[in-house]
Amino acid sequence: MSNTGSNVQPVFTYTIGGVRIEMPVKPYPSQVSMMDKVIRGCQKQQNCLLESPTGSGKTLALLCSALAWQRAEKARLEKFSEEEFQQKLIEWQLKEQQKKQQKEKNQKKPNTPEKKQKKLNTPEKKLAETNISPAKNKGLCLSTDVTISDDSEEEMAIFKQPVKKRKINNSKDLDMSNGKSKSNDDSIMTNDSSANSSLMTEDEDENNELKIENSEPKVENNLPKKSKPITPVIYFCTRTHKQIEQVIKELQRTSFNNAKSCVLASREHTCIQDSNIYYPQISYKSKTELCKDLLDPRARRRNSIKLKRALDRCNYYDNGGVRISTYGQLAKFGVPSVWDVEDIVRLGITKHSCPYYGTRLLLKTAEIVFCPYNYIIDPVIRSTMNLKLKGHVIIVDEAHNIEDQCREAASLQLDQTLMNLAKADCEKIYKSCGNSVTYGRLARYLSDLSKWIDQKSGDIKNYDDYNRGVLSWSGTYTIASFDDFGVGLTAFEMFKKDCEVALADLVEEGEPDETKNSKKENVENELSDKNENEMIENHSSKDQNSDLVITNATKTLLSSICSVFSLFYDEKYKYDYHVSLAKVMQLKKFEHKGRGISTGIDGWINSGDAAEPNDSRPVWNNVVSFLCLNPAAVFDGLKSTVRNIILTSGTLSPMQSFQSELGTQFPIALEASHVIKQDQCWVSSVGVGPSGTDLNGQFQNINTYSYQDEMGKVLLDVCAVVPHGVLCFMPSYTLMDKLYNRWQVTGLLNRLSQIKVVMCEPRRGDQLEELMAKYYAAVRGDEGGPRGALFLAVYRGKISEGLDFSDNNARAVVAVGIPFPNYKEESVKHKKDYNNKHHKNKGLLPGWEWYQIQAYRALNQALGRCIRHKNDWGAILLVDSRYEQPKNQTGLSKWIRGRVENNGSWSTIMTKLKNFVETRQLHDSTAAALT
């Protein structure tokens, strides 16, 4: 990705709330409104809820306003710091003068006749003599400031040397008689001669003195130090890394493209090590597992024994702390300060330096940080990434499903099989390392919890057709039951302390600091001091046992239990949980190949006897779900830390549900209008198809052949009229499969395929990229055959948000049914009941209203694929007879709601659709001819 350069001149400049905002294009009214809200929210430290339709320039407005405020805030803080420093400096000068006068007075001979003394200088007079002029307000300044150098490369503070003495290296003295400091080099230097250590830092040794060289005796003094203000960092969060890539492209268009940016990504995105480095002797399921084994000396020692040769630490990591650690280095290597994951990975490969850990070092001095929003929302991930958010600004784009994300982060599914494997993992370490009582207590707690599950599962008597039985309880009942069984709050608090000890034993996933690096280097030195090959040959079983640590899977499970149980036992939230136990018959596969030892599910050590590699058997398995019904349980911990939170999306309405569900006030709110003209989008409800069949999308109707055949005819007619790309969204994969299979049988699919290439959204995300490439090619007509494509997709899927369907990629969106969540799901059922119970005392929406909102947010998100910018155009067909009722249109986004037409017959709909398409094509042709 190329850098656009920092010399991009803004085309338009606005001043809002005293903040100068530079935009690369003339902003729409909706963008100006949004920037105003962002500035006000940041200045007043108030949360914002901002809805702006997709394609209205929301991202550009967010970036420019937030970064403009940050620049203004940085200047304000620096000015305040300077004024404060000058004030302290003047006070110091006055005190020094008083000390000097007192010293002179004390040195007078007592027997000498007293001579006429001059009046003591007043503070004002002394100020005049030293050319120090008091300011009218707070800021007092010297005629020539005595300053402490601040290196512009502030990120080099990562490598600062501790306990450095600072001195003023003057030829004579700090001569204040004329208000100037005379120096050989006019700077305050440290005693470090290294060219790479130019950052001035405050003294870390209380005995360090400011040394003044002159003919007078040296005196102690305490010259004030200039504090360095902390400017709030902007954390810009969105759903996926694909969306982050689009946001970064927007930022590179602006005059803020020299901001220090950082993208947080997992090792799966940034690790450049060969995953098959030790294959086939040792294989890894993830790059995270590989990375930790390569960095942990104990793991390398174990693997050295298996491979019968010495293993070195990851060579990319050894370079990571040096080569990709500051923005000055990025510039040196030709990478812009606003970079994407591809840029940093490409640089890492070129320079043989780890992008993952390099990114963690860049994070320390970044001004704007991009990451998926679960990095911020989920307490476990936030802790793992060691993100310090206090006083910073959080912007969450595509925040329409943040309620679901918060509830999910506070919930836990505890699979008994995996829990028993974690217990066996801890037991193995306890038995092998007799001095570790921590792991013994961990194993005991997990064992007791497993016994509680066994006891409760014995009460399940009724099973459904899928060999599944369920019992459920309130959170308060479960806590009482835990107490009776000995796994209550007291036991959990001890378990939590033991978890902290056990997790501290691991090579942490957080950023490497100098202390951790030095410890690792010590271990490396110990290995290098011996003959490693001889050590491998003679390594005793006792030494091997001392190297044992819990697996990453066990670590994840322990961390999740600690995080969720901490909320579960909290008096404030214990009423917000519902606990269920499901006993299910499953066909289990037991894996025993891999890393040279008998391994189990997700990398756990399998404590059972060895079995055949493909061994599988039906077993009863218990899964306990701790379902959080209140998203505020997680969101409250976030909002209480940060400066302010800005939630934005194209589909936030109704606003009041966010305030009640998240338990947070959003004093600043906005519902912006779309930037397109009325004639650029045509919207119609569709109650009947070509044969006059009712297209009501309720469950009992969609399973009939008449409905399925009618839907096929609707799409056939639409594809015949609408050119290029057509998107069709359905409530579920189940319905999509039913329709596709039915059309294959009737031959309608073959007729559709003669008009457009027909594609279906895959369930697996790794198959999507290749399919999207084929879709875009079909829309362009590159594939030969039909020019255009029909994409069958599902609401809430990957197609419904984040992907580019501008212009010809989506000239029509066909929305089938109303995408209500599956009411049979336990989470949906209990959430509805919870809202009905608490809608008065907590201000929540009643259960049915909450249920409807979930449907319309998913619908509106899908409809947003149609219009992507101000010159785009497209048609929207709401295929369900329920949309003809005004009450079922109220949940639509503001910009769509005012456009819906209720056309009674299919022939009328097709006539209007054809006229709309022809009119827009003529408009495009005319515009192209004029340009």
Side-chain angles (χ1 to χ4, degrees):
M1 194 173 293
S2 62
N3 184 15
T4 55
S6 59
N7 58 350
V8 175
Q9 296 299 319
V11 180
F12 294 91
T13 302
Y14 281 73
T15 300
I16 299 176
V19 176
R20 186 172 181 267
I21 305 174
E22 300 172 347
M23 292 283 285
V25 294
K26 183 177 180 180
Y28 307 128
S30 61
Q31 288 178 301
V32 175
S33 299
M34 175 165 282
M35 290 190 293
D36 173 64
K37 304 296 185 185
V38 171
I39 295 294
R40 283 171 50 197
C42 292
Q43 288 178 336
K44 297 181 180 181
Q45 301 187 41
Q46 293 180 336
N47 299 325
C48 305
L49 204 57
L50 311 177
E51 181 183 75
S52 185
T54 302
S56 60
K58 166 170 54 71
T59 300
L60 193 62
L62 289 170
L63 290 170
C64 291
S65 56
L67 288 170
W69 169 82
Q70 185 187 57
R71 282 186 181 178
E73 181 69 3
K74 181 178 182 180
R76 185 188 72 82
L77 292 173
E78 288 177 347
K79 181 180 178 182
F80 178 79
S81 176
E82 179 65 25
E83 291 174 349
E84 185 181 50
F85 172 66
Q86 297 296 333
Q87 175 72 33
K88 290 179 180 179
L89 195 58
I90 290 172
E91 293 173 356
W92 174 77
Q93 291 290 335
L94 294 176
K95 289 180 181 179
E96 289 299 308
Q97 178 62 25
Q98 291 171 1
K99 288 180 182 179
K100 185 176 180 181
Q101 290 174 349
Q102 185 64 38
K103 184 177 179 181
E104 291 174 351
K105 183 177 179 181
N106 294 338
Q107 288 176 346
K108 288 181 180 178
K109 295 181 180 180
N111 297 326
T112 304
E114 212 175 286
K115 294 183 179 180
K116 188 176 180 180
Q117 299 292 328
K118 294 182 180 180
K119 281 188 178 182
L120 289 175
N121 291 333
T122 62
E124 289 78 5
K125 189 171 182 180
K126 180 60 187 174
L127 286 172
E129 290 177 359
T130 57
N131 288 336
I132 302 175
S133 55
K136 293 181 180 179
N137 300 319
K138 277 186 177 182
L140 298 172
C141 60
L142 296 173
S143 60
T144 301
D145 294 346
V146 177
T147 60
I148 295 179
S149 172
D150 286 324
D151 196 306
S152 60
E153 283 283 311
E154 59 183 334
E155 62 266 26
M156 291 304 296
I158 300 165
F159 307 107
K160 68 183 180 183
Q161 300 298 320
V163 197
K164 294 295 181 187
K165 290 188 178 181
R166 180 184 296 138
K167 64 181 179 180
I168 299 181
N169 190 15
N170 292 338
S171 58
K172 292 289 184 181
D173 187 15
L174 181 64
D175 183 3
M176 299 305 299
S177 63
N178 61 357
K180 296 183 180 180
S181 61
K182 297 179 180 179
S183 171
N184 292 333
D185 55 5
D186 294 327
S187 65
I188 299 176
M189 301 296 295
T190 70
N191 65 354
D192 189 353
S193 60
S194 171
N196 292 327
S197 302
S198 60
L199 183 68
M200 300 299 103
T201 63
E202 292 190 356
D203 296 340
E204 297 183 38
D205 188 340
E206 293 181 358
N207 295 322
N208 286 347
E209 297 176 351
L210 183 71
K211 297 184 178 180
I212 302 178
E213 301 173 1
N214 64 5
S215 57
E216 296 181 5
K218 296 180 180 179
V219 294
E220 289 191 5
N221 56 65
N222 53 347
L223 181 67
K225 299 177 180 66
K226 185 176 179 181
S227 62
K228 187 166 185 61
I230 300 175
T231 306
V233 177
I234 308 296
Y235 282 84
F236 196 105
C237 315
T238 189
R239 186 184 178 191
T240 64
H241 282 288
K242 194 72 176 176
Q243 290 169 317
I244 290 174
E245 181 181 337
Q246 295 171 5
V247 174
I248 290 173
K249 287 180 180 178
E250 286 290 283
L251 180 55
Q252 289 177 328
R253 296 173 52 205
T254 73
S255 61
F256 301 95
N257 61 1
N258 57 353
K260 296 175 183 177
S261 76
C262 182
V263 182
L264 298 183
S266 69
R267 291 175 175 88
E268 303 306 317
H269 288 92
T270 55
C271 178
I272 58 177
Q273 183 60 266
D274 180 11
S275 299
N276 296 320
I277 186 172
Y278 300 130
Y279 186 83
Q281 294 97 326
I282 306 174
S283 63
Y284 291 92
K285 296 181 179 180
S286 70
K287 288 195 172 183
T288 298
E289 187 182 10
L290 168 64
C291 175
K292 292 186 176 182
D293 266 14
L294 289 176
L295 298 185
D296 185 351
R298 292 167 295 189
R300 290 202 304 278
R301 210 149 47 222
R302 291 194 305 269
N303 291 332
S304 296
I305 297 167
K306 296 170 195 172
L307 297 177
K308 299 187 183 305
R309 63 184 174 87
L311 299 181
D312 295 326
R313 188 166 65 171
C314 176
N315 59 312
Y316 297 114
Y317 174 82
D318 289 338
N319 292 333
V322 176
R323 301 199 177 204
I324 311 178
S325 56
T326 70
Y327 289 90
Q329 290 167 338
L330 288 184
K332 177 182 176 182
F333 296 132
V335 176
S337 57
V338 175
W339 51 268
D340 195 12
V341 171
E342 292 180 0
D343 296 317
I344 207 74
V345 168
R346 190 159 47 244
L347 177 62
I349 294 173
T350 303
K351 299 299 179 182
H352 299 281
S353 183
C354 175
Y356 178 79
Y357 281 106
T359 297
R360 304 294 282 275
L361 293 172
L362 292 170
L363 174 65
K364 293 176 179 290
T365 52
E367 296 170 329
I368 181 167
V369 179
F370 300 98
C371 62
Y373 48 60
N374 62 321
Y375 282 41
I376 299 295
I377 294 170
D378 194 316
V380 174
I381 300 177
R382 198 162 66 233
S383 175
T384 299
M385 298 293 293
N386 197 24
L387 296 180
K388 308 298 184 184
L389 303 179
K390 185 176 181 180
H392 300 310
V393 176
I394 308 297
I395 298 176
V396 183
D397 197 9
E398 304 298 340
H400 46 276
N401 56 2
I402 193 171
E403 297 173 20
D404 297 335
Q405 292 292 321
C406 287
R407 285 197 301 271
E408 183 178 334
S411 300
L412 173 67
Q413 276 203 333
L414 202 53
D415 187 305
Q416 188 180 23
T417 300
L418 303 185
M419 189 172 64
N420 286 337
L421 288 172
K423 179 197 71 172
D425 198 6
C426 294
E427 281 179 342
K428 186 164 186 175
I429 297 175
Y430 171 64
K431 292 176 181 177
S432 301
C433 312
N435 60 343
S436 180
V437 294
T438 295
Y439 293 99
R441 286 197 298 261
L442 287 174
R444 174 55 61 91
Y445 184 86
L446 294 174
S447 177
D448 290 344
L449 201 55
S450 183
K451 290 176 183 177
W452 178 87
I453 295 173
D454 287 333
Q455 183 189 75
K456 292 299 180 182
S457 69
D459 297 334
I460 299 176
K461 306 300 180 185
N462 298 319
Y463 298 88
D464 58 23
D465 294 338
Y466 301 97
N467 285 329
R468 180 176 181 272
V470 178
L471 288 178
S472 62
W473 315 275
S474 67
T476 51
Y477 172 87
T478 306
I479 288 175
S481 180
F482 276 4
D483 288 336
D484 293 341
F485 207 81
V487 289
L489 180 59
T490 303
F492 168 67
E493 288 177 343
M494 177 59 70
F495 171 80
K496 189 175 182 180
K497 291 179 181 178
D498 288 333
C499 282
E500 292 172 356
V501 174
L503 298 180
D505 284 346
L506 300 176
V507 177
E508 295 182 1
E509 193 169 335
E511 72 279 11
D513 57 29
E514 293 182 9
T515 304
K516 291 174 189 173
N517 284 344
S518 64
K519 289 180 180 178
K520 291 171 186 172
E521 292 295 343
N522 290 338
V523 177
E524 293 297 316
N525 292 336
E526 289 177 6
L527 288 177
S528 62
D529 288 340
K530 301 178 181 180
N531 185 318
E532 290 182 335
N533 292 323
E534 181 181 349
M535 179 198 69
I536 292 169
E537 294 294 334
N538 300 325
H539 204 286
S540 67
S541 60
K542 181 179 179 180
D543 292 331
Q544 293 181 45
N545 291 337
S546 65
D547 285 341
L548 290 175
V549 292
I550 56 175
T551 63
N552 293 327
T554 299
K555 174 188 174 182
T556 301
L557 185 137
L558 295 178
S559 299
S560 299
I561 292 176
C562 286
S563 176
V564 173
F565 277 27
S566 294
L567 294 171
F568 182 59
Y569 281 112
D570 192 323
E571 285 293 322
K572 189 176 179 181
Y573 302 117
K574 68 180 183 180
Y575 299 101
D576 298 331
Y577 276 86
H578 188 91
V579 181
S580 62
L581 169 60
K583 187 175 183 180
V584 186
M585 177 71 78
Q586 295 178 338
L587 190 65
K588 285 283 185 180
K589 289 187 177 181
F590 296 87
E591 302 176 9
H592 305 283
K593 286 185 174 180
R595 298 167 52 186
I597 56 174
S598 179
T599 57
I601 300 171
D602 293 334
W604 262 301
I605 298 173
N606 193 340
S607 59
D609 296 330
E612 293 300 320
N614 296 321
D615 183 23
S616 62
R617 60 194 93 148
V619 296
W620 285 104
N621 189 36
N622 296 312
V623 178
V624 184
S625 298
F626 295 85
L627 180 65
C628 181
L629 304 170
N630 181 13
V634 163
F635 198 78
D636 187 60
L638 184 62
K639 71 168 185 184
S640 61
T641 302
V642 302
R643 180 185 181 94
N644 67 313
I645 300 176
I646 301 171
L647 302 183
T648 72
S649 179
T651 53
L652 292 180
S653 298
M655 300 288 197
Q656 67 271 20
S657 74
F658 278 93
Q659 302 201 63
S660 59
E661 288 286 337
L662 298 177
T664 303
Q665 292 300 311
F666 292 87
I668 299 175
L670 171 69
E671 276 188 273
S673 300
H674 214 304
V675 297
I676 62 171
K677 298 177 181 178
Q678 188 69 24
D679 61 354
Q680 287 178 244
C681 184
W682 180 75
V683 186
S684 177
S685 62
V686 179
V688 295
S691 303
T693 302
D694 184 12
L695 291 173
N696 186 299
Q698 291 180 312
F699 180 76
Q700 61 270 23
N701 196 34
I702 62 175
N703 288 319
T704 64
Y705 287 150
S706 59
Y707 175 88
Q708 296 169 10
D709 293 343
E710 195 76 347
M711 271 304 311
K713 295 174 183 177
V714 166
L715 286 178
L716 186 64
D717 286 355
V718 169
C719 289
V721 171
V722 178
H724 310 299
V726 175
L727 300 179
C728 178
F729 289 98
M730 301 181 187
S732 66
Y733 284 105
T734 302
L735 177 60
M736 184 175 71
D737 292 342
K738 283 182 180 179
L739 294 177
Y740 191 87
N741 293 334
R742 174 64 182 173
W743 299 339
Q744 277 185 316
V745 173
T746 62
L748 191 139
L749 183 63
N750 183 52
R751 294 167 62 191
L752 270 173
S753 300
Q754 293 174 4
I755 302 173
K756 293 187 185 297
V757 177
V758 181
M759 302 177 181
C760 293
E761 179 176 352
R763 284 180 167 85
R764 286 174 47 189
D766 58 354
Q767 299 173 336
L768 183 61
E769 186 173 353
E770 181 181 354
L771 196 62
M772 287 305 304
K774 292 181 179 179
Y775 175 81
Y776 293 140
V779 169
R780 294 191 302 267
D782 298 347
E783 299 292 313
R787 182 180 178 85
L790 168 64
F791 210 133
L792 305 179
V794 296
Y795 300 106
R796 302 182 182 89
K798 288 182 171 57
I799 299 297
S800 66
E801 57 180 289
L803 294 180
D804 182 20
F805 290 100
S806 61
D807 301 320
N808 289 340
N809 291 324
R811 288 306 184 191
V813 172
V814 180
V816 179
I818 303 176
F820 290 106
N822 185 354
Y823 68 92
K824 291 184 178 180
E825 285 186 10
E826 291 290 316
S827 59
V828 175
K829 175 180 176 296
H830 293 308
K831 177 59 179 171
K832 287 175 65 178
D833 293 342
Y834 175 84
N835 275 38
N836 285 330
K837 182 178 179 180
H838 296 288
H839 82 275
K840 289 184 178 179
N841 63 320
K842 291 190 175 183
L844 302 176
L845 293 175
W848 172 247
E849 290 186 31
W850 170 85
Y851 187 65
Q852 285 184 307
I853 285 174
Q854 305 311 303
Y856 280 96
R857 282 195 181 133
L859 171 67
N860 290 329
Q861 195 63 28
L863 299 182
R865 301 310 95 198
C866 187
I867 305 295
R868 306 300 297 177
H869 57 83
K870 69 171 184 176
N871 295 320
D872 206 353
W873 61 269
I876 293 175
L877 299 177
L878 304 171
V879 184
D880 196 305
S881 56
R882 289 174 289 179
Y883 286 121
E884 295 179 341
Q885 303 173 28
K887 68 176 183 179
N888 289 326
Q889 296 179 11
T890 56
L892 295 171
S893 291
K894 179 181 176 182
W895 71 275
I896 298 175
R897 195 164 54 236
R899 287 179 160 87
V900 180
E901 297 180 9
N902 292 329
N903 296 294
S905 67
W906 178 249
S907 59
T908 303
I909 293 171
M910 289 307 299
T911 300
K912 290 186 176 182
L913 176 61
K914 187 176 182 180
N915 290 338
F916 168 76
V917 170
E918 291 175 349
T919 301
R920 296 312 309 176
Q921 287 180 318
L922 179 61
H923 179 275
D924 287 352
S925 300
T926 304
L930 292 175
T931 56

